[in-house]
Coordinates of all heavy atoms in Angstrom, one line a residue:
M91 N 190.2 150.4 110.6 CA 189.7 149.5 109.5 C 190.8 148.6 109.0 O 192.0 149.2 108.7 CB 189.0 150.2 108.5 CG 188.3 149.3 107.4 SD 187.4 150.4 106.4 CE 186.1 149.3 106.1
N92 N 190.6 147.4 108.7 CA 191.7 146.5 108.3 C 191.7 146.5 106.8 O 190.6 146.7 106.2 CB 191.5 145.1 108.6 CG 191.9 145.0 110.2 OD1 192.7 145.7 110.8 ND2 191.3 144.0 110.9
R93 N 192.9 146.3 106.2 CA 193.0 146.3 104.6 C 192.6 144.9 104.2 O 192.8 144.0 104.9 CB 194.4 146.7 104.3 CG 195.4 145.8 104.7 CD 196.7 146.2 104.1 NE 197.8 145.3 104.5 CZ 198.0 144.0 104.0 NH1 197.1 143.6 103.1 NH2 199.0 143.2 104.4
M94 N 192.4 144.8 102.9 CA 192.1 143.5 102.4 C 193.5 142.8 102.0 O 194.4 143.6 101.7 CB 191.4 143.7 101.0 CG 190.0 144.2 101.1 SD 188.9 143.0 101.8 CE 188.9 141.7 100.5
P95 N 193.6 141.4 102.4 CA 194.8 140.8 102.0 C 195.1 140.8 100.5 O 194.2 140.7 99.7 CB 194.6 139.4 102.6 CG 193.2 139.2 102.6 CD 192.5 140.6 102.8
T96 N 196.4 140.7 100.2 CA 196.8 140.6 98.8 C 196.6 139.1 98.4 O 196.5 138.2 99.3 CB 198.2 141.0 98.7 OG1 199.1 140.0 99.3 CG2 198.6 142.4 99.1
E97 N 196.6 138.8 97.1 CA 196.5 137.5 96.5 C 197.7 136.7 97.0 O 197.5 135.4 97.4 CB 196.4 137.5 95.0 CG 195.1 138.1 94.4 CD 194.0 137.1 94.8 OE1 194.2 135.9 94.7 OE2 192.9 137.7 95.0
K98 N 198.8 137.3 97.1 CA 200.0 136.7 97.6 C 199.8 136.2 99.1 O 200.2 135.1 99.4 CB 201.3 137.6 97.5 CG 202.6 136.9 97.8 CD 203.7 137.9 97.4 CE 205.0 137.1 97.8 NZ 206.2 138.0 97.5
E99 N 199.2 137.1 99.9 CA 199.0 136.7 101.4 C 198.0 135.6 101.4 O 198.2 134.7 102.2 CB 198.5 137.9 102.1 CG 199.6 139.1 102.3 CD 199.1 140.3 102.9 OE1 198.0 140.7 102.4 OE2 199.8 141.1 103.5
I100 N 197.0 135.6 100.6 CA 196.0 134.5 100.7 C 196.6 133.3 100.2 O 196.4 132.2 100.8 CB 194.8 134.9 99.7 CG1 194.0 136.1 100.5 CG2 193.9 133.7 99.6 CD1 193.0 136.7 99.5
A101 N 197.4 133.2 99.1 CA 198.1 132.1 98.6 C 199.0 131.5 99.7 O 199.1 130.3 99.8 CB 198.9 132.4 97.4
R102 N 199.7 132.3 100.4 CA 200.5 131.9 101.5 C 199.8 131.2 102.6 O 200.1 130.2 103.1 CB 201.4 133.1 102.1 CG 202.3 132.8 103.2 CD 203.4 133.8 103.6 NE 204.2 133.3 104.5 CZ 204.1 133.3 105.8 NH1 203.0 133.6 106.4 NH2 205.2 132.8 106.6
S103 N 198.6 131.8 103.0 CA 197.8 131.2 103.9 C 197.3 129.9 103.6 O 197.2 129.0 104.3 CB 196.6 132.1 104.3 OG 196.9 133.3 105.1
R104 N 197.0 129.7 102.2 CA 196.4 128.4 101.8 C 197.6 127.4 101.9 O 197.4 126.2 102.0 CB 195.9 128.6 100.4 CG 194.6 129.3 100.3 CD 194.0 129.5 98.9 NE 192.7 130.1 99.0 CZ 192.1 130.9 98.1 NH1 192.8 131.3 97.1 NH2 191.0 131.4 98.3
T105 N 198.8 127.8 101.6 CA 199.9 126.9 101.7 C 200.2 126.5 103.1 O 200.4 125.3 103.5 CB 201.2 127.5 101.2 OG1 201.0 127.9 99.8 CG2 202.4 126.6 101.3
L106 N 200.0 127.5 104.2 CA 200.4 127.1 105.6 C 199.2 126.4 106.3 O 199.5 125.7 107.2 CB 200.5 128.5 106.3 CG 201.8 129.3 106.0 CD1 201.8 130.7 106.7 CD2 203.0 128.6 106.5
Y107 N 197.9 126.7 105.8 CA 196.8 126.2 106.4 C 195.9 125.4 105.5 O 194.7 125.8 105.2 CB 196.0 127.2 107.2 CG 196.8 128.0 108.2 CD1 197.3 129.2 107.9 CD2 197.1 127.4 109.4 CE1 198.0 129.9 108.7 CE2 198.0 128.1 110.3 CZ 198.3 129.4 110.0 OH 199.1 130.1 111.0
P108 N 196.4 124.4 104.8 CA 195.5 123.7 103.8 C 194.5 122.9 104.5 O 194.5 122.7 105.7 CB 196.4 122.6 103.2 CG 197.6 122.4 104.2 CD 197.7 123.7 104.9
A109 N 193.3 122.6 103.8 CA 192.2 121.8 104.4 C 192.7 120.6 105.2 O 193.6 119.9 104.7 CB 191.2 121.3 103.3
G110 N 192.2 120.4 106.4 CA 192.7 119.4 107.2 C 193.6 119.7 108.3 O 193.9 119.0 109.3
T111 N 194.1 120.9 108.3 CA 195.1 121.4 109.2 C 194.3 121.6 110.5 O 193.3 122.2 110.6 CB 195.8 122.8 108.7 OG1 196.5 122.5 107.5 CG2 196.8 123.3 109.9
R112 N 195.0 121.2 111.6 CA 194.4 121.5 112.9 C 194.9 122.8 113.5 O 196.2 123.1 113.4 CB 194.7 120.5 114.0 CG 194.2 119.0 113.5 CD 192.7 118.9 113.8 NE 192.6 118.9 115.2 CZ 191.4 119.2 115.8 NH1 190.3 119.2 115.1 NH2 191.2 119.1 117.2
V113 N 194.1 123.6 114.1 CA 194.4 125.0 114.6 C 193.9 125.0 116.0 O 192.8 124.3 116.4 CB 193.9 126.1 113.7 CG1 194.6 126.1 112.4 CG2 192.5 126.1 113.6
E114 N 194.5 125.9 116.8 CA 194.0 126.1 118.3 C 193.9 127.7 118.3 O 194.7 128.5 118.0 CB 195.1 125.7 119.2 CG 194.7 125.9 120.6 CD 195.7 125.3 121.6 OE1 196.4 124.4 121.3 OE2 195.8 126.0 122.8
L115 N 192.7 128.0 119.0 CA 192.5 129.4 119.1 C 193.2 130.1 120.4 O 193.3 129.5 121.4 CB 190.9 129.7 119.5 CG 190.4 130.9 119.6 CD1 190.5 131.9 118.4 CD2 188.9 131.0 120.1
I116 N 193.8 131.2 120.1 CA 194.4 131.8 121.2 C 193.5 133.0 121.7 O 193.3 133.3 122.9 CB 195.9 132.4 120.8 CG1 196.8 131.3 120.4 CG2 196.5 133.3 121.8 CD1 198.1 131.7 119.7
E117 N 193.0 133.8 120.6 CA 192.2 135.0 121.0 C 191.4 135.3 119.7 O 191.8 135.2 118.5 CB 193.0 136.2 121.4 CG 192.1 137.4 121.7 CD 193.1 138.6 122.1 OE1 194.1 138.6 121.6 OE2 192.6 139.3 123.0
M118 N 190.1 135.5 119.8 CA 189.2 135.9 118.8 C 188.5 137.2 119.1 O 188.0 137.4 120.2 CB 188.1 134.8 118.6 CG 187.1 135.0 117.3 SD 186.2 133.7 116.9 CE 187.2 132.8 115.8
D119 N 188.4 138.1 118.1 CA 187.9 139.4 118.3 C 186.3 139.2 117.8 O 185.9 139.9 116.8 CB 188.6 140.4 117.4 CG 188.0 141.8 117.7 OD1 187.4 142.0 118.7 OD2 188.2 142.7 116.8
D120 N 185.6 138.5 118.6 CA 184.2 138.3 118.3 C 183.4 138.3 119.7 O 183.5 137.2 120.3 CB 183.9 137.1 117.5 CG 182.4 137.0 117.1 OD1 181.5 137.5 117.8 OD2 182.2 136.2 116.0
P121 N 182.8 139.3 120.0 CA 182.0 139.3 121.3 C 180.9 138.4 121.5 O 180.4 138.2 122.5 CB 181.5 140.8 121.4 CG 181.4 141.2 120.1 CD 182.4 140.6 119.3
F122 N 180.4 137.9 120.3 CA 179.3 137.0 120.3 C 179.6 135.5 120.2 O 178.7 134.5 120.4 CB 178.3 137.3 119.2 CG 177.9 138.8 119.3 CD1 178.4 139.7 118.4 CD2 177.0 139.2 120.2 CE1 178.1 141.0 118.5 CE2 176.6 140.6 120.4 CZ 177.2 141.5 119.4
T123 N 180.8 135.0 120.1 CA 181.2 133.6 119.9 C 181.4 133.0 121.4 O 181.5 133.6 122.3 CB 182.6 133.5 119.3 OG1 182.7 132.1 119.0 CG2 183.7 134.0 119.9
T124 N 181.0 131.7 121.3 CA 181.3 130.9 122.6 C 182.6 130.2 122.6 O 182.9 129.6 123.6 CB 180.1 129.9 122.7 OG1 180.1 129.1 121.7 CG2 178.8 130.5 122.9
L125 N 183.3 130.4 121.4 CA 184.6 129.8 121.4 C 185.6 130.5 122.4 O 185.4 131.7 122.7 CB 185.3 130.0 120.1 CG 184.6 129.2 118.9 CD1 185.2 129.7 117.5 CD2 184.9 127.7 119.2
K126 N 186.6 129.7 123.1 CA 187.3 130.3 124.0 C 188.9 129.9 123.8 O 189.0 128.9 123.0 CB 187.0 129.9 125.5 CG 186.9 128.5 125.6 CD 186.2 128.0 127.0 CE 186.3 126.6 127.2 NZ 185.8 125.8 126.2
E127 N 189.8 130.5 124.4 CA 191.2 130.1 124.3 C 191.4 128.7 124.5 O 190.8 128.1 125.4 CB 192.0 130.9 125.3 CG 193.6 130.6 125.3 CD 194.3 131.4 126.3 OE1 193.7 132.2 127.0 OE2 195.4 131.1 126.4
G128 N 192.1 128.0 123.7 CA 192.4 126.6 123.7 C 191.6 125.7 122.9 O 191.8 124.6 122.7
D129 N 190.4 126.2 122.4 CA 189.5 125.5 121.6 C 190.3 125.2 120.3 O 191.0 125.9 119.7 CB 188.2 126.2 121.2 CG 187.2 126.3 122.3 OD1 187.4 125.4 123.3 OD2 186.2 127.0 122.3
Q130 N 189.9 123.9 119.7 CA 190.6 123.5 118.5 C 189.7 123.0 117.5 O 188.5 122.8 117.8 CB 191.6 122.2 118.8 CG 192.7 122.6 119.8 CD 193.6 121.4 119.9 OE1 193.5 120.4 119.3 NE2 194.6 121.6 120.7
G131 N 190.1 123.1 116.2 CA 189.3 122.8 115.1 C 190.1 122.4 113.9 O 191.4 122.4 113.9
T132 N 189.4 122.1 112.8 CA 190.1 121.6 111.6 C 189.8 122.6 110.5 O 188.6 122.9 110.2 CB 189.5 120.3 111.2 OG1 189.8 119.4 112.3 CG2 190.2 119.7 109.9
V133 N 190.7 123.1 109.7 CA 190.5 124.0 108.7 C 189.7 123.3 107.5 O 190.1 122.2 107.1 CB 191.9 124.5 108.1 CG1 191.7 125.4 106.8 CG2 192.6 125.3 109.1
E134 N 188.8 124.0 107.1 CA 187.9 123.4 105.9 C 188.3 124.0 104.6 O 188.4 123.3 103.6 CB 186.5 123.7 106.1 CG 185.9 123.0 107.3 CD 184.4 123.0 107.5 OE1 183.8 124.2 107.4 OE2 183.7 122.0 107.6
M135 N 188.7 125.4 104.6 CA 189.0 126.1 103.4 C 189.4 127.5 103.7 O 189.1 128.0 104.8 CB 187.9 126.1 102.4 CG 186.5 126.7 102.8 SD 186.2 128.4 102.4 CE 186.2 128.4 100.6
I136 N 190.1 128.2 102.8 CA 190.3 129.6 102.9 C 189.6 130.3 101.8 O 189.9 130.0 100.6 CB 191.8 129.9 102.9 CG1 192.4 129.2 104.1 CG2 192.1 131.4 103.0 CD1 194.0 129.3 104.2
D137 N 188.8 131.2 102.0 CA 188.1 131.9 101.0 C 188.9 133.0 100.4 O 190.0 133.3 100.6 CB 186.7 132.5 101.5 CG 186.9 133.5 102.6 OD1 187.8 134.2 102.6 OD2 185.8 133.8 103.4
D138 N 188.2 133.6 99.3 CA 189.0 134.7 98.5 C 189.2 135.9 99.3 O 189.8 136.9 98.7 CB 188.0 135.0 97.3 CG 188.2 133.8 96.3 OD1 189.1 132.9 96.4 OD2 187.2 133.7 95.4
L139 N 188.6 136.1 100.5 CA 188.9 137.2 101.4 C 190.0 136.9 102.4 O 190.4 137.7 103.3 CB 187.7 137.7 102.1 CG 186.5 138.2 101.3 CD1 185.3 138.5 102.2 CD2 186.9 139.4 100.5
G140 N 190.5 135.6 102.4 CA 191.6 135.1 103.3 C 191.2 134.7 104.6 O 191.9 134.4 105.4
Q141 N 189.8 134.6 104.7 CA 189.3 134.0 106.0 C 189.5 132.6 106.1 O 189.2 131.8 105.1 CB 187.8 134.4 106.2 CG 187.5 135.9 106.2 CD 186.0 136.1 106.3 OE1 185.5 136.2 107.3 NE2 185.4 136.3 105.1
I142 N 189.9 132.1 107.2 CA 190.1 130.7 107.3 C 189.0 129.9 108.1 O 188.7 130.2 109.1 CB 191.5 130.4 108.1 CG1 192.6 131.1 107.6 CG2 191.8 129.0 108.5 CD1 193.9 131.1 108.5
H143 N 188.2 129.3 107.1 CA 187.0 128.6 107.6 C 187.4 127.3 108.4 O 188.1 126.5 107.9 CB 186.0 128.4 106.5 CG 185.6 129.5 106.0 ND1 184.3 130.1 106.3 CD2 186.1 130.4 105.1 CE1 184.1 131.2 105.6 NE2 185.3 131.5 104.9
V144 N 186.9 127.3 109.8 CA 187.3 126.2 110.6 C 186.0 125.5 111.2 O 185.0 126.2 111.5 CB 188.0 126.6 111.9 CG1 188.3 125.6 112.8 CG2 189.4 127.3 111.4
R145 N 186.1 124.1 111.1 CA 185.0 123.4 111.8 C 185.6 123.0 113.1 O 186.6 122.2 113.3 CB 184.7 122.1 111.1 CG 183.7 121.1 111.8 CD 182.4 121.7 112.1 NE 181.8 122.2 110.9 CZ 180.7 123.2 110.8 NH1 180.2 123.4 112.0 NH2 180.2 123.6 109.7
W146 N 185.1 123.8 114.2 CA 185.6 123.7 115.5 C 185.0 122.4 116.2 O 184.0 122.0 115.8 CB 185.2 124.9 116.3 CG 185.9 126.2 115.8 CD1 185.2 127.1 114.9 CD2 187.2 126.6 116.1 NE1 186.1 128.0 114.6 CE2 187.4 127.9 115.3 CE3 188.2 126.2 116.8 CZ2 188.6 128.5 115.3 CZ3 189.5 126.9 116.9 CH2 189.5 128.0 116.1
D147 N 185.8 121.8 117.1 CA 185.5 120.7 117.8 C 184.3 120.9 118.6 O 183.5 119.9 118.9 CB 186.6 120.1 118.5 CG 187.8 119.6 117.8 OD1 187.7 119.7 116.6 OD2 188.9 119.5 118.5
T148 N 184.0 122.1 119.0 CA 182.6 122.4 119.8 C 181.4 122.4 118.9 O 180.3 122.5 119.5 CB 182.9 123.8 120.4 OG1 183.0 124.8 119.2 CG2 184.1 123.9 121.3
G149 N 181.6 122.2 117.6 CA 180.4 122.2 116.6 C 180.2 123.5 115.9 O 179.5 123.5 114.9
S150 N 181.0 124.6 116.4 CA 180.9 125.9 115.7 C 181.5 125.8 114.3 O 182.5 125.0 114.1 CB 181.5 126.8 116.5 OG 181.6 128.1 115.9
G151 N 181.1 126.6 113.4 CA 181.7 126.8 112.0 C 182.3 128.2 111.8 O 182.2 128.6 110.7
L152 N 182.8 128.8 112.8 CA 183.3 130.2 112.7 C 184.6 130.4 111.9 O 185.5 129.6 112.3 CB 183.2 130.8 114.0 CG 183.3 132.4 114.1 CD1 182.0 132.9 113.4 CD2 183.3 132.8 115.6
A153 N 184.8 131.3 111.1 CA 186.0 131.6 110.4 C 187.0 132.4 111.3 O 186.5 133.3 112.0 CB 185.8 132.2 109.1
L154 N 188.3 132.1 111.1 CA 189.3 133.0 111.6 C 189.7 134.0 110.6 O 189.7 133.8 109.5 CB 190.5 132.1 112.0 CG 190.4 131.1 113.1 CD1 191.6 130.2 113.0 CD2 190.4 131.8 114.4
I155 N 190.0 135.3 111.2 CA 190.4 136.4 110.3 C 192.0 136.6 110.6 O 192.2 137.2 111.7 CB 189.6 137.6 110.5 CG1 188.1 137.2 110.2 CG2 190.1 138.7 109.5 CD1 187.2 138.3 110.5
P156 N 192.9 136.3 109.8 CA 194.2 136.5 110.0 C 194.5 138.1 110.3 O 193.9 138.9 109.6 CB 195.0 136.0 108.7 CG 194.1 134.9 108.2 CD 192.7 135.5 108.5
G157 N 195.3 138.3 111.2 CA 195.7 139.7 111.4 C 194.7 140.3 112.5 O 195.0 141.5 113.1
I158 N 193.5 139.6 112.7 CA 192.7 140.1 113.8 C 192.7 139.1 114.9 O 192.8 139.3 116.1 CB 191.3 140.4 113.3 CG1 191.4 141.5 112.2 CG2 190.3 140.6 114.3 CD1 190.1 141.9 111.5
D159 N 192.2 137.8 114.5 CA 192.2 136.7 115.4 C 193.5 136.1 115.6 O 194.4 136.2 114.7 CB 191.2 135.7 115.0 CG 189.8 136.1 114.7 OD1 189.3 137.0 115.6 OD2 189.2 135.8 113.7
R160 N 193.9 135.6 116.8 CA 195.2 135.0 117.1 C 194.8 133.5 117.3 O 194.0 133.0 117.9 CB 195.7 135.6 118.3 CG 196.1 137.0 118.1 CD 196.7 137.7 119.4 NE 197.8 136.9 120.0 CZ 197.9 136.7 121.2 NH1 197.0 137.1 122.1 NH2 198.9 135.9 121.7
F161 N 195.7 132.7 116.6 CA 195.6 131.2 116.5 C 197.0 130.7 116.2 O 197.9 131.3 115.8 CB 194.5 130.8 115.5 CG 194.8 131.3 114.1 CD1 195.5 130.5 113.2 CD2 194.4 132.6 113.7 CE1 195.8 130.8 112.0 CE2 194.7 133.0 112.4 CZ 195.3 132.0 111.5
R162 N 197.0 129.4 116.4 CA 198.3 128.7 116.0 C 197.9 127.3 115.4 O 196.9 126.8 115.7 CB 199.2 128.4 117.3 CG 198.7 127.5 118.1 CD 199.6 127.3 119.3 NE 199.2 126.1 120.3 CZ 199.5 124.9 120.0 NH1 200.2 124.5 118.9 NH2 199.1 123.9 120.8
K163 N 198.9 126.9 114.5 CA 198.8 125.4 113.9 C 199.2 124.5 115.1 O 200.0 124.6 115.8 CB 199.7 125.4 112.8 CG 199.7 124.1 112.0 CD 200.6 123.9 110.9 CE 200.5 124.8 109.8 NZ 201.3 124.5 108.7
V164 N 198.3 123.4 115.2 CA 198.5 122.4 116.1 C 199.5 121.3 115.3 O 199.1 120.9 114.3 CB 197.3 121.7 116.6 CG1 197.6 120.5 117.4 CG2 196.4 122.7 117.3
T165 N 200.6 121.0 116.1 CA 201.4 120.1 115.5 C 201.4 118.8 116.3 O 201.3 118.9 117.5 CB 202.9 120.6 115.2 OG1 203.3 121.1 116.6 CG2 202.9 121.7 114.3
A166 N 201.7 117.6 115.8 CA 201.6 116.4 116.6 C 202.7 116.2 117.4 O 203.7 116.8 117.5 CB 201.6 115.2 115.6

């Protein structure tokens, strides 16, 4: 079982991934998603549990969970 992120960790994520940041999926621990490696999306917000809510280019609105899912920031 994963631990809850601290307020400091959540604040750091909000600094690293503000709304509008582009991200790319590397791996997601969700057997029911249709998202795959290489899919990209735009960060909408980070909630109080530290989940990074993404509007994926595929139309999905699934959140990333830091420490479980693997992803990277897309830079120009």
Side-chain angles (χ1 to χ4, degrees):
M91 181 175 218
N92 288 333
R93 65 173 182 77
M94 293 290 294
T96 65
E97 288 295 322
K98 186 175 181 178
E99 290 169 326
I100 294 170
R102 183 172 188 276
S103 287
R104 287 180 174 147
T105 299
L106 290 172
Y107 304 103
T111 300
R112 296 284 294 166
V113 293
E114 180 177 333
L115 182 64
I116 297 170
E117 181 180 33
M118 181 173 273
D119 185 25
D120 184 339
F122 302 106
T123 187
T124 58
L125 292 170
K126 60 188 181 312
E127 180 182 352
D129 283 345
Q130 294 187 1
T132 304
V133 173
E134 293 187 315
M135 56 97 64
I136 298 177
D137 66 23
D138 291 339
L139 296 176
Q141 298 178 86
I142 303 171
H143 293 261
V144 177
R145 176 56 55 195
W146 296 97
D147 295 348
T148 62
S150 175
L152 197 58
L154 293 165
I155 303 173
I158 296 178
D159 300 319
R160 294 178 50 222
F161 57 95
R162 68 176 190 89
K163 186 186 290 191
V164 176
T165 55

